Amino acid sequence: MCIRDRAGEPEGLNAPLTAVRGVGSQQAGRLARLGLHTIRDVLYHLPRRYDDYSHLKPINRLEYGEEVTIIAKVWDAGTRRTRGGASIFKAVLSDGTGFIEATWFNMPFLAGRIEPGQQIVVSGKVDEYLGRLCLNSPEWEPLQRDLLHTGRLVPVYSLTEGVTGRWLRRLVKQIVDYWAERLPEYLPSSVRQEHNLMELGNALRQIHFPDSAKQLERARYRLAFDQLFVFQLGLLQQRHLWRSAPGRQLPIDDQTLQAFVLSLPFRLTGAQQRALGQIVDDLRSPYPMNRLL
């Protein structure tokens, strides 16, 4: 997914989303409502939660109320209409251990996508109807090597009207697959090793599409480290700019100061004496003082 501008030159992370294949001006306008304007915005549009569809179970061991993933063959599938005109698509699935019925409401286009004889992966919450276990509006996708919507920790993003979770997930996957390995790593390897940090590109890949809960936690740790690191750099920069401004030196007479200290009805502790010495040094310094006691 090489992103190029109108002149054919490669663009970077600040390229508009219309430079991504499959994103037109209309979709870009919808994504803008989510604050997503550039490729970088999408990379850092982190999931708000995850649906755990990593638990693969045979049909004969399913239990009511649990979130599961099954790999099954479609034995029968078809669409029917209710009296109110709504469409219901049903598929009978089997994995050799048993059968279960999956139902999707108002999705007639599934008739051309889920067909008898097809192997699919289905993830969702096990429900019950007339005493039989079933799946209502589960996530699904054809059985393939790299699952995106099922069979894993599935990212759930903030959405807006006209942007579905499946479409946004595919867009994020497309961008992450291309750009994660091309992100510049600004932390030295010595720092990463000392703090057990994964590389930035891998952290973004794992925060969006984690291979496991452990990898997800490591990715969160790396990105949290980056946030605090950048915040600390900002504070140091502000301190440098502030201290580069000229300050007014104030003369402090040692005898007067000592007389004041001796006049106190108590003796200063060691910590108080050190703090007083630091304050006096700051007052005599040509740099501005910024101190909180």
Side-chain angles (χ1 to χ4, degrees):
M1 187 189 72
C2 183
I3 309 298
R4 296 182 178 274
D5 61 17
R6 293 179 182 178
E9 294 298 321
E11 292 197 71
L13 295 172
N14 294 322
L17 290 175
T18 50
V20 180
R21 293 188 185 94
V23 180
S25 58
Q26 185 178 35
Q27 281 298 83
R30 292 168 178 166
L31 292 169
R33 296 201 295 265
L34 294 170
L36 306 179
H37 305 277
T38 67
I39 291 172
R40 188 189 305 274
D41 293 337
V42 172
L43 278 176
Y44 284 91
H45 183 61
L46 305 185
R48 59 187 179 88
R49 63 179 176 85
Y50 301 84
D51 286 335
D52 189 356
Y53 293 149
S54 60
H55 303 296
L56 186 64
K57 293 189 70 173
I59 292 176
N60 67 346
R61 293 181 57 192
L62 298 183
E63 297 180 8
Y64 172 73
E66 62 181 350
E67 298 274 0
V68 298
T69 293
I70 62 173
I71 298 177
K73 181 179 180 180
V74 181
W75 279 72
D76 190 23
T79 303
R80 66 178 180 84
R81 294 281 178 177
T82 66
R83 292 181 179 179
S87 68
I88 299 178
F89 181 81
K90 290 181 177 289
V92 178
L93 311 175
S94 175
D95 63 354
T97 69
F99 291 85
I100 191 170
E101 187 176 71
T103 303
W104 290 268
F105 302 93
N106 294 317
M107 300 177 71
F109 58 87
L110 291 180
R113 299 184 183 181
I114 299 178
E115 299 176 335
Q118 183 182 11
Q119 290 271 37
I120 65 174
V121 184
V122 179
S123 293
K125 186 175 182 179
V126 180
D127 209 338
E128 188 176 10
Y129 179 69
L130 298 178
R132 294 180 298 176
L133 297 182
C134 62
L135 295 167
N136 288 321
S137 300
E139 292 286 349
W140 79 278
E141 57 189 323
L143 179 61
Q144 53 193 354
R145 183 175 180 181
D146 188 13
L147 299 175
L148 182 59
H149 310 290
T150 60
R152 61 178 304 143
L153 286 171
V154 177
V156 178
Y157 300 94
S158 297
L159 302 173
T160 187
E161 185 178 359
V163 177
T164 66
R166 291 177 71 93
W167 184 88
L168 183 57
R169 204 174 292 130
R170 285 194 294 267
L171 174 66
V172 174
K173 186 70 162 58
Q174 181 183 2
I175 290 175
V176 167
D177 283 350
Y178 182 84
W179 283 103
E181 62 185 24
R182 291 170 170 79
L183 286 175
E185 176 56 78
Y186 58 88
L187 286 181
S189 58
S190 58
V191 174
R192 297 200 309 271
Q193 291 175 3
E194 179 181 356
H195 297 280
N196 192 28
L197 300 172
M198 60 172 53
E199 293 184 351
L200 178 60
N202 192 30
L204 283 172
R205 185 181 295 109
Q206 292 295 331
I207 200 73
H208 285 289
F209 304 102
D211 293 329
S212 65
K214 182 178 180 180
Q215 291 293 84
L216 174 59
E217 287 305 310
R218 289 196 64 202
R220 283 172 168 166
Y221 180 71
R222 167 60 202 262
L223 296 181
F225 183 95
D226 285 8
Q227 288 182 328
L228 293 175
F229 182 73
V230 171
F231 180 71
Q232 185 70 14
L233 287 179
L235 291 179
L236 290 174
Q237 183 182 37
Q238 287 295 107
R239 184 173 184 270
H240 173 74
L241 294 173
W242 172 73
R243 287 187 63 84
S244 65
R248 179 183 177 186
Q249 292 179 268
L250 299 177
I252 303 295
D253 182 72
D254 289 333
Q255 292 183 350
T256 302
L257 178 62
Q258 186 64 20
F260 169 75
V261 171
L262 293 175
S263 69
L264 295 174
F266 55 86
R267 294 185 61 181
L268 297 181
T269 65
Q272 289 172 331
Q273 291 176 2
R274 288 192 298 272
L276 180 59
Q278 292 170 358
I279 292 172
V280 170
D281 290 341
D282 283 347
L283 292 173
R284 289 172 173 169
S285 169
Y287 305 106
M289 180 176 70
N290 183 23
R291 183 174 293 279
L292 177 65
L293 286 180

